[in-house]
Amino acid sequence: VGDIQSRLLDHRPVISAEIRYFVREFEEKRGHRESRLLESLDKMVQEANEQMLPTNLEDMNQQLCDITKRLEAANHMVERVQQRELEAQQV
């Protein structure tokens, strides 16, 4: 009687099996979802490297050239101002 009653009322083995099944399915689906997400991110990074990086490098080179020219002009102006100050001090 105790064994029959135990089998009828004790649901732990069935629940444990269901929980293991659920966890296994969840982890498997989650793993697939994460794999797809990582593949998508990898593809986006590769596209960015192929398309955006060269244009950004070109833009940066152009901007650096412009900055260099401006700095050279500013340096030349400063040298002229210093030269005038030296001439004024000598007179």
Side-chain angles (χ1 to χ4, degrees):
V1 178
D3 188 38
I4 296 173
Q5 190 178 25
S6 173
R7 285 183 154 188
L8 289 175
L9 299 176
D10 187 12
H11 302 296
R12 282 180 280 174
V14 175
I15 292 174
S16 294
E18 286 295 318
I19 290 172
R20 284 194 303 273
Y21 174 77
F22 176 79
V23 168
R24 185 172 55 244
E25 287 293 312
F26 177 78
E27 287 176 347
E28 186 177 306
K29 289 178 183 177
R30 178 178 167 206
H32 292 308
R33 185 175 65 237
E34 288 177 355
S35 295
R36 288 192 303 270
L37 178 64
L38 288 174
E39 288 172 2
S40 173
L41 288 173
D42 184 44
K43 184 178 177 182
M44 287 173 50
V45 168
Q46 287 177 356
E47 288 176 358
N49 284 338
E50 292 170 358
Q51 296 172 0
M52 297 174 73
L53 190 61
T55 57
N56 287 344
L57 286 175
E58 291 173 9
D59 291 343
M60 283 182 6
N61 282 335
Q62 181 61 41
Q63 290 175 0
L64 286 174
C65 288
D66 293 344
I67 290 170
T68 303
K69 289 177 185 175
R70 290 179 183 177
L71 286 173
E72 288 173 352
N75 193 26
H76 181 68
M77 287 182 194
V78 168
E79 288 175 355
R80 286 182 25 210
V81 168
Q82 286 178 337
Q83 184 65 31
R84 287 183 191 156
E85 287 178 357
L86 284 174
E87 290 172 359
Q89 287 177 356
Q90 290 176 356
V91 173

